[in-house]
Amino acid sequence: MKSRNYIIRTIVFLAIVFAVQYFFIASVPDIVFFIAKYRSGKPLNTVIQAPKTDAKLRKVVLPNPDFVYNAVFYDLSKSDLIISGEFPDTSQYCSLAFYGDDVQPYQVMNNLTSQPRTFRFHLTQRNGNTVVVSPSNQGAILMRLLVTSEEQYKNARRLQKILKVETLEK
Amino acid sequence: MKKILFLFFAVVIGLAVALYRIIDTDSSKAFFHNGSWMGSNSLPLGKNNLLTAQVTLFALFALPSEEAIYLFSRKDESGEFLDGKNDYTLSGNVNQIKAKYWSITAYGKDLFLIPNPADKYSFNNSNLQTDSAGNFSIIISAKSHSGNWLPIKSNKRFNLVLRIYKGDSAFVSQLSRTSLSEIKRVSI
């Protein structure tokens, strides 16, 4: 009887260990997304124009000092969004990446392949034409602008200010 | 009381196992190893929870591999951890990496940029000093040097990240086998 209880307890113990590690590993992207959103210190659906990347920037790990970033943490639960802005010419690399709440990219565009240079996207969770379809209610958009000269830095700052997020009633 | 302790230990061990599995990148299927470098050329990783957790922690908001490749190194060519008590060199040819843009950046153990008086954190394919054939040598040291000097913090461990943006597709597909610049510990 005692040995049967011991076996049952061992099985229960191992099941709890397995369940905890499974759910913790599965939750890492959600936890990290929540922390990144919280540390941004800005409301959802607004553009965060990050300053030039240096050692003072400690919001997201492994920042690239050659890039100037614009970020938007979005929430589509109350309204769709219109994202508009402008890419630089092809001498200065720029990308616009859309991430779900699992911090995995679901859509990326860059100025080397996208025409015209100005862009305007309808961000929604519903399928349709000329829209970017988010896999989750919340997510993030990251605009990366490569800066290798003072002139490119000035241009990046100008383009940072052009990126707009507008809410669109559902 | 016994039941609470039983549950507590099971949860703690479960969390410890999860953390160990996440930080054990050396045996992770998410990353290939090439000399001192570890990276992935198949991001995003889809629905594998463990691999996704590893990539999330070591490359948050990473771009897909067709856009950018991230290679990470915390050890030199002899397998020793990179440490600011030593000096290192990283040599190669600027055209060795076929890409629109590539860079080498130093990060502290906390994965943030290392503060330094020179405000220098990285070198890229457009600001490296090279000879006429495109050969370069980066000196990674806590002590000031002329030329391609990448500052680190004395007596502190650090990491290097090699970023490759819009890499040539043939080059990227061979990245796990291609010869990459090794991080050599030197006496300067």
Side-chain angles (χ1 to χ4, degrees), chain B residues 62-81:
Chain B
L63 287 165
S65 297
E66 62 266 23
E67 197 73 18
I69 304 282
Y70 307 87
L71 297 160
F72 191 84
S73 180
R74 53 186 174 179
K75 292 178 180 173
D76 64 17
E77 65 169 357
S78 57
E80 299 292 321
F81 282 106

Side-chain angles (χ1 to χ4, degrees), chain A residues 9 13 16-17 21 24 32 54-55 58 60 62-67 90 93 99 103-104 108 110 144 146 148, chain B residues 6 10 14 18 21 44 52 56 58 60-64 67 100-101 107 110-113 121-122 124 163 165:
Chain A
R9 276 184 198 152
F13 186 85
I16 295 170
V17 168
Q21 62 111 3
F24 181 75
V32 169
D54 60 19
R58 299 180 72 82
V60 176
L62 301 174
N64 186 342
D66 289 337
F67 279 136
T90 54
Y93 170 84
Y99 299 84
V103 292
Q104 300 303 301
V108 179
N110 65 53
R144 294 168 163 89
L146 178 62
T148 55
Chain B
F6 175 85
R21 290 184 69 198
T52 300
T56 300
F58 291 99
L60 179 61
F61 292 124
L63 287 165
E67 197 73 18
K100 169 90 178 162
Y101 155 86
Y107 294 94
D110 59 3
L111 304 181
F112 289 107
L113 294 167
Y121 312 103
S122 67
N124 62 50
R163 290 179 168 87
Y165 276 69

Side-chain angles (χ1 to χ4, degrees), chain A residues 35 37 46 53 83 85 118 120 126 131 133 143 147 154:
Chain A
I35 293 170
K37 192 172 62 171
T46 55
T53 309
I83 314 293
T118 54
R120 184 178 164 86
R126 295 165 296 172
V131 297
V133 181
M143 186 179 188
V147 171
K154 281 181 191 159

